[in-house]
Amino acid sequence: MIVSSDAGRFVAWGNAYLTGTVSLDEAAFAITGEVDIHRVQAWDDTADVFAVTNALGLIRGSGITGLRLVLPVPGDVVGVPGPASAAALATQAGEAVVTVAESNLPAHMLIPTRTTESPSQRSTTLWTPTKVDITRAPFGLPTLSEAERQLTQAMADSTQALTTLDTARGRSELAGEIAALTRSTEHINLPPGLPARAQRMIASGHRLRGIVDLARRTDGAGASASSANLRRDALTPLDQAARYALCAAYSAQVELVELDKLRRGFSR
């Protein structure tokens, strides 16, 4: 069930560090947590691998001014920069971090690969960079305010469609899973500089993606094949809106910086 995003944490806390809202150590600890191991491969031609603390320092030193989140799925890679080979890698991972910098600097996308050590179940995530095309705000994805409106509309449309199909009845045993999902999204660790609206959208986005995932796995109580297909079709716009909302919300700080640059450019 989808209730977290490694790339989302990397983006939110990385931006908080780049904008001076939190310290380097605070950002690195929030990204990695107490148990999991995160390593970042160098984005030059060397094979060097860095701890997140060192990587964030190098990111700032290389001229990168921000990070943004992408959450591609097969058939929907909106917001993911080219080339197609990089987009395919990001889609396979389901999430990635895109660097934002001036146009005279190369852009990269950091793609996570996870392995789990047994029996400790300790997870190791390697962030591998790949060069991508330069992208500017709003990156092809909706802005924070646009994503919020789209999410509200998708929730209304999906609820109406599912009510019409009447395939969700008889699943009271799922109430416990939904309640647990809701609790898991109530205390997501986010940086203090992230706008309150963005924090609310992150909680809503994760909760809705989890509910969509749960609904897709159950496919309705005793529903026919055609009804199940209609139900999945009704959920697709909600999942898309939730993904776009998460991309906009986790990337909210860099959106503000980039849009301010655009406004200043137009005012000259």
Side-chain angles (χ1 to χ4, degrees), residues 40-253:
V40 182
Q41 186 174 328
W43 44 92
D44 53 24
D45 293 330
T46 69
D48 294 338
V49 177
F50 302 100
V52 170
T53 304
N54 303 100
L56 288 175
L58 291 170
I59 284 173
R60 169 179 275 182
S62 66
I64 293 171
T65 57
L67 306 168
R68 67 181 183 90
L69 174 67
V70 289
L71 295 169
V73 297
D76 183 4
V77 294
V78 172
V80 182
S85 57
L89 291 173
T91 303
Q92 184 177 6
E95 59 180 342
V97 176
V98 181
T99 64
V100 179
E102 298 300 329
S103 57
N104 62 325
L105 295 174
H108 290 84
M109 187 160 57
L110 299 172
I111 302 172
T113 303
R114 301 174 191 83
T115 57
T116 301
E117 300 175 8
S118 298
S120 66
Q121 297 301 304
R122 191 176 190 183
S123 174
T124 299
T125 299
L126 175 65
W127 297 88
T128 304
T130 182
K131 286 186 178 181
V132 294
D133 301 332
I134 293 288
T135 56
R136 311 304 301 178
F139 318 119
L141 287 162
T143 63
L144 189 64
S145 58
E146 291 169 343
E148 186 176 40
R149 289 194 297 271
Q150 291 177 13
L151 184 61
T152 300
Q153 185 61 52
M155 289 172 61
D157 292 344
S158 297
T159 299
Q160 181 179 6
L162 291 173
T163 300
T164 302
L165 290 172
D166 195 27
T167 58
R169 290 186 179 180
R171 308 299 297 205
S172 59
E173 67 271 19
L174 300 179
E177 291 188 59
I178 294 175
L181 175 63
T182 300
R183 288 193 299 270
S184 72
T185 60
E186 289 176 347
H187 303 290
I188 299 174
N189 186 25
L190 297 169
L194 201 64
R197 179 168 61 172
Q199 297 195 36
R200 292 193 297 270
M201 284 177 61
I202 287 171
S204 296
H206 281 305
R207 183 169 59 253
L208 289 171
R209 289 206 79 193
I211 290 173
V212 167
D213 180 57
L214 180 61
R216 283 172 171 168
R217 286 190 287 111
T218 57
D219 275 339
S224 65
S226 59
S227 294
N229 288 333
L230 288 172
R231 189 167 186 254
R232 284 192 291 271
D233 290 343
L235 290 168
T236 297
L238 180 58
D239 182 62
Q240 182 187 69
R243 283 188 294 108
Y244 289 0
L246 289 171
C247 291
Y250 274 114
S251 309
Q253 282 186 291

